[in-house]
Amino acid sequence: MSSDNNNDFQKLIQEDRETRKKSAWKGNMLEYLEQVRESPTGHKLSHKRLYDMISEQGMVEVDLEQNPRLKRIFKGEKLKVFNFFADEFFGMEKTINQIVRYFHSASLKGEESRQVLYLVGPVGSGKSSLVERIKKGLEQLEPIFAIEGCPMYEEPLHLVPRHLRKEFSKMLGVEIEGDLCPVCRYRLKEDFQGKWEDVPVKTFELSIRAKRGIGVVPPVDPNNQDTSVLIGGEDISKLDLYSEGDPRVLDLSGALNVGNRGMVEFIEVFKNETEYLHAMITATQEKSIPAPGRHGMIYVDTCIVAHSNEAEWKKFKSDHTNEAILDRIVTVKVPYNLRLSEEVKIYKKIIRQSQFTADIAPHTIELVSMFAILSRLEPTNKCDLMTKLKLYNGEEVVEKGKTKKIDVIELREEAKSEGMNGISTRFIMKALDNALSDNIEINAIHPISVRESLVQMVKEGDFADDVKKRYLEFLQDTLHKEYLEVLEKEITKAFVYSYQEQAESLFQNYLDHAESYVTKKKFKDRSTGEVLEPDEGFMKSIEEQIAIIGTACDGFRQEVIAFLWSAGRRNEKVCYESYEPLKEAIEKKLMASVRDVSRIITKARTRDDEQYKKYGRMVEQLMKNGYPASCVDIILKYAANNLWKD
């Protein structure tokens, strides 16, 4: 067995080595020119390389007509999903589209190719993760051709003399721009006697660790802003051997040197002094940076991506002396996600990538996601925040039997800075960890334990008094009520045998009676075949669940039948969930039908045999529906204490 495993390892190692050998290339400049002529599209500047890296993985334009929920959210907009980002980023379609648009424009050598891409957003909104994804993508690209021995791994076409470039550009089908670095210029003259066609060329993979094509600039101490971090310096040990003006003393290991042919990331960019940022602007605007010492300017081909939080951005922007830098920045906001379905995906992804092995009761992640989003929303006169949350998630909100007609686009437009404040994903993940620590013996978390954990963290957190009060209100009132509604529905589903079938049966029966009522015709019973008059009592028993009473019943029935006929014309499959007001009425009807029995069974300290059986079946069904065995009793006690108070 061990021998077989060793063979498997050896085979994998060998295959990887062979693949790398095939993708590797080495030759002289003359041979490289043939490579370019055969495949001119392989010659790319940095922005083009980044844009192709993203676009080549494909893009899907979502058909909103086939998805009513997304249509309600993105009304009048196009929803594009780029596969390069799809599996890791959720609820960030607008931000990602703006980033891709920047790379596309810059790849066409427009003005944006000479500007910095700047991401601004609150802590934990995903700025660093977006940049990390781009850097990881660069490392996975095919190797690039570069002058062997060049400290900046520069484009070999820089060797073509300026007076020949026009002719060579025609022959090769590519545009040649850029100049040799001082080190390569010296080597060409001294080592190759000007015979540029003999200079060796080799393929290299872009790598963060090897400092090839990907540079990173962390915030620098304002009291010690040494520009060598950006542009390199001079090797002091070589000054004894060579004069100060000799290129051989250069140590071109600064981030802007390293990021040549790829990208440079500036972390918390505005923590640096303004003077320090001018090298960044020169690199992107002039495509050159000063060489250390007395060596003139060095051409660089790099995409600069910077990021910081909004407070630093506002402070920097408010200083009018920074106008020259501001004019050279393309700003993309990276707000917190505001869609519940996508927030849930974020936490599930983080949990999947962690060693979190505890059981998670249903609706736990949804509850914490609701809290996170509520904290990020701005109040509006048009609806309460929970309604706004549901509308942003593409849900239909029913009030007194009617779907609320509130334009989501208008809600967004009146809250321009929405998503730039609030609770971060990191805060929520800490709450999940704390809840697990407090329930380590059952190795499970549930909505009740996580809500308690969040309450404790908010009370202990460094929030302003008014913010703390608002957050506690969300947790102790808004989400408490929301979870109780969900819980009652869950218990109903556990009690009602074949819940879906019963809801569907009520729906179809209601449609039969309502259609008969509206058309003033009798109908044939689906089960018995009897010809019957519409049953007003039956219809009212459903309608009253959503406060449809008196004269409002006629209008509601007509709306239901109009919806049904409209759906029929569109050949849509109709079920009890199709029309939101009727769906809510049917679910409440089912809940009402089991409320008394569930109340008795969950609250009873002593149960008779029949109640024990029903209770057992309910617990069994809850576990089938995903509730961990260790949590069921806690959740049912919570329901008994809060749902059906005597």
Side-chain angles (χ1 to χ4, degrees):
M1 187 69 180
S2 177
S3 174
D4 289 344
N5 286 340
N6 287 341
N7 289 338
D8 290 343
F9 296 145
Q10 188 62 47
K11 184 182 175 185
L12 189 61
I13 292 165
Q14 200 60 40
E15 284 174 357
D16 175 65
R17 194 165 287 143
E18 290 299 322
T19 303
R20 287 177 178 276
K21 276 183 185 175
K22 284 177 186 174
S23 63
W25 185 92
K26 189 172 182 178
N28 61 26
M29 181 59 186
L30 200 58
E31 292 168 318
Y32 172 67
L33 291 172
E34 285 299 329
Q35 289 275 337
V36 176
R37 181 154 60 181
E38 286 174 22
S39 179
T41 55
H43 168 74
K44 298 174 184 177
L45 295 177
S46 58
H47 288 92
K48 173 70 171 165
R49 178 172 291 110
L50 283 157
Y51 176 67
D52 286 352
M53 172 185 78
I54 294 167
S55 60
E56 282 170 3
Q57 287 200 25
M59 179 273 290
V60 177
E61 188 166 331
V62 179
D63 185 354
L64 297 179
E65 293 302 321
Q66 299 299 315
N67 192 321
R69 173 171 283 198
L70 289 177
K71 186 179 179 181
R72 286 190 285 270
I73 299 170
F74 295 98
K75 186 167 57 176
E77 300 176 29
K78 285 185 177 179
L79 177 58
K80 294 178 181 177
V81 177
F82 290 88
N83 295 335
F84 182 84
F85 296 101
D87 294 333
E88 295 183 41
F89 300 92
F90 306 101
M92 298 179 74
E93 294 86 0
K94 187 175 180 181
T95 295
I96 288 169
N97 272 264
Q98 288 176 321
I99 291 170
V100 176
R101 194 183 302 132
Y102 162 83
F103 284 130
H104 184 218
S105 175
S107 73
L108 301 173
K109 298 187 181 180
E111 178 56 30
E112 290 191 348
S113 68
R114 297 182 178 276
Q115 296 193 325
V116 173
L117 174 63
Y118 169 61
L119 309 179
V120 57
V123 292
S125 63
K127 304 181 297 294
S128 300
S129 299
L130 282 165
V131 179
E132 284 302 316
R133 177 68 190 98
I134 294 168
K135 291 194 295 188
K136 190 165 46 169
L138 281 172
E139 288 194 303
Q140 292 166 347
L141 288 179
E142 291 289 313
I144 61 165
F145 292 92
I147 298 171
E148 189 173 1
C150 174
M152 294 178 60
Y153 300 93
E154 66 182 303
E155 167 58 57
L157 291 177
H158 292 177
L159 288 160
V160 179
R162 284 199 168 272
H163 65 279
L164 292 176
R165 286 189 178 183
K166 191 174 181 181
E167 195 63 34
F168 269 85
S169 290
K170 285 181 185 175
M171 293 168 69
L172 298 171
V174 301
E175 192 176 334
I176 303 172
E177 65 174 80
D179 295 305
L180 286 173
C181 74
V183 174
C184 288
R185 201 178 301 129
Y186 177 88
R187 287 177 62 221
L188 175 61
K189 182 182 176 184
E190 300 297 329
D191 298 349
F192 296 95
Q193 291 74 50
K195 292 184 178 180
W196 56 272
E197 69 274 20
D198 292 339
V199 174
V201 175
K202 188 179 173 184
T203 52
F204 295 93
E205 292 177 339
L206 300 183
S207 167
I208 299 170
R209 290 180 296 280
K211 295 189 174 181
R212 279 196 300 269
I214 305 169
V216 179
V217 184
V220 180
D221 180 0
N223 300 316
N224 184 28
Q225 299 227 337
D226 183 357
T227 54
S228 65
V229 172
L230 294 179
I231 62 171
E234 292 178 310
D235 188 338
I236 298 171
S237 66
K238 291 181 180 177
L239 287 172
D240 292 339
L241 303 172
Y242 311 112
S243 67
E244 196 177 343
D246 194 313
R248 286 174 291 184
V249 305
L250 287 175
D251 174 22
L252 300 179
S253 59
L256 292 168
N257 309 118
V258 168
N260 188 44
R261 313 290 301 279
M263 68 170 282
V264 179
E265 175 191 13
F266 278 75
I267 301 168
E268 299 294 342
V269 61
F270 297 124
K271 282 196 167 110
N272 300 302
E273 290 296 314
T274 308
E275 291 76 16
Y276 188 72
L277 301 176
H278 283 295
M280 173 183 84
I281 295 303
T282 306
T284 186
Q285 192 71 26
E286 310 298 332
K287 299 284 183 185
S288 61
I289 54 173
R294 305 172 184 173
H295 299 277
M297 302 295 284
I298 298 178
Y299 172 85
V300 287
D301 165 34
T302 188
C303 169
I304 295 178
V305 182
H307 52 91
S308 77
N309 61 49
E310 196 181 22
E312 287 167 353
W313 167 241
K314 284 180 177 176
K315 182 182 175 185
F316 185 83
K317 196 167 59 168
S318 65
D319 187 344
H320 72 277
T321 61
N322 295 328
E323 285 176 0
I325 295 174
L326 290 169
D327 192 46
R328 291 163 172 81
I329 287 175
V330 174
T331 306
V332 174
K333 283 187 176 181
V334 187
Y336 288 131
N337 166 61
L338 298 176
R339 277 159 58 201
L340 179 62
S341 61
E342 304 308 291
E343 191 74 8
V344 168
K345 288 177 188 174
I346 291 169
Y347 300 123
K348 285 185 176 177
K349 180 196 79 171
I350 296 170
I351 288 168
R352 263 197 322 272
Q353 293 173 346
S354 71
Q355 294 183 337
F356 196 99
T357 57
D359 292 324
I360 303 174
H363 306 290
T364 304
I365 305 301
E366 285 83 348
L367 191 85
V368 295
S369 299
M370 280 182 180
F371 173 60
I373 293 172
L374 285 171
S375 74
R376 301 164 186 172
L377 296 178
E378 292 182 11
T380 174
N381 294 327
K382 293 174 179 168
C383 60
D384 61 81
L385 286 185
M386 182 54 79
T387 299
K388 192 178 191 183
L389 178 149
K390 291 176 180 178
L391 291 169
Y392 275 11
N393 199 40
E395 297 175 35
E396 289 186 290
V397 180
V398 177
E399 193 174 277
K400 294 183 179 176
K402 291 189 179 291
T403 304
K404 267 187 173 287
K405 301 293 182 188
I406 301 175
D407 194 317
V408 174
I409 307 298
E410 284 181 15
L411 285 177
R412 284 203 210 103
E413 284 177 353
E414 73 174 23
K416 296 286 187 186
S417 62
E418 203 164 50
M420 299 301 278
N421 294 291
I423 292 293
S424 72
T425 52
R426 294 187 189 116
F427 188 93
I428 297 296
M429 287 309 299
K430 284 178 194 169
L432 294 177
D433 290 340
N434 290 349
L436 182 60
S437 298
D438 292 338
N439 293 271
I440 200 76
E441 66 283 349
I442 64 171
N443 194 37
I445 56 172
H446 46 79
I448 304 150
S449 62
V450 172
R451 194 169 67 93
E452 287 171 0
S453 173
L454 283 167
V455 167
Q456 195 61 35
M457 285 177 66
V458 168
K459 284 180 177 177
E460 294 171 358
D462 187 20
F463 300 107
D465 288 345
D466 60 328
V467 173
K468 188 175 288 191
K469 182 183 176 185
R470 189 161 59 93
Y471 288 177
L472 288 173
E473 190 177 318
F474 290 151
L475 290 165
Q476 295 171 330
D477 183 46
T478 311
L479 291 175
H480 171 66
K481 290 174 182 172
E482 189 68 23
Y483 180 56
L484 287 177
E485 281 186 28
V486 169
L487 192 52
E488 186 168 18
K489 195 180 292 183
E490 291 284 281
I491 292 170
T492 301
K493 285 181 179 179
F495 260 111
V496 178
Y497 177 73
S498 190
Y499 179 88
Q500 195 85 11
E501 283 180 26
Q502 291 217 31
E504 201 62 51
S505 175
L506 273 176
F507 174 71
Q508 294 298 341
N509 282 339
Y510 181 87
L511 290 186
D512 287 340
H513 288 272
E515 187 173 20
S516 174
Y517 180 86
V518 169
T519 60
K520 296 182 169 50
K521 293 178 182 176
K522 294 182 180 181
F523 73 98
K524 187 183 283 188
D525 186 272
R526 291 169 186 263
S527 304
T528 65
E530 291 176 275
V531 177
L532 303 171
E533 295 280 353
D535 185 343
E536 284 255 27
F538 167 70
M539 287 186 286
K540 285 179 178 177
S541 72
I542 291 176
E543 292 156 354
E544 67 188 14
Q545 302 297 328
I546 50 171
I548 302 291
I549 53 174
T551 55
C553 294
D554 280 14
F556 181 74
R557 292 165 196 172
Q558 286 167 0
E559 285 172 15
V560 170
I561 298 309
F563 167 80
L564 177 67
W565 288 342
S566 174
R569 283 199 304 274
R570 295 192 299 269
N571 294 317
E572 290 179 3
K573 186 181 177 183
V574 176
C575 67
Y576 95 92
E577 295 180 321
S578 299
Y579 188 60
E580 193 65 33
L582 188 51
K583 169 181 175 278
E584 185 169 328
I586 285 168
E587 287 180 342
K588 286 187 173 179
K589 169 76 172 169
L590 283 171
M591 280 191 269
S593 69
V594 298
R595 189 167 289 142
D596 287 342
V597 67
S598 56
R599 174 183 175 279
I600 292 164
I601 290 171
T602 51
K603 293 199 79 166
R605 292 183 181 176
T606 58
R607 301 184 182 101
D608 59 32
D609 289 346
E610 184 60 27
Q611 287 175 341
Y612 261 119
K613 283 178 186 175
K614 285 183 178 178
Y615 185 81
R617 281 200 298 269
M618 178 184 64
V619 169
E620 189 180 328
Q621 190 58 46
L622 283 170
M623 286 165 62
K624 280 182 185 174
N625 293 347
Y627 284 87
S630 57
C631 296
V632 171
D633 196 45
I634 298 167
I635 288 166
L636 287 176
K637 280 180 181 174
Y638 181 80
N641 292 336
N642 291 277
L643 274 175
W644 308 293
K645 291 181 179 177
D646 291 322

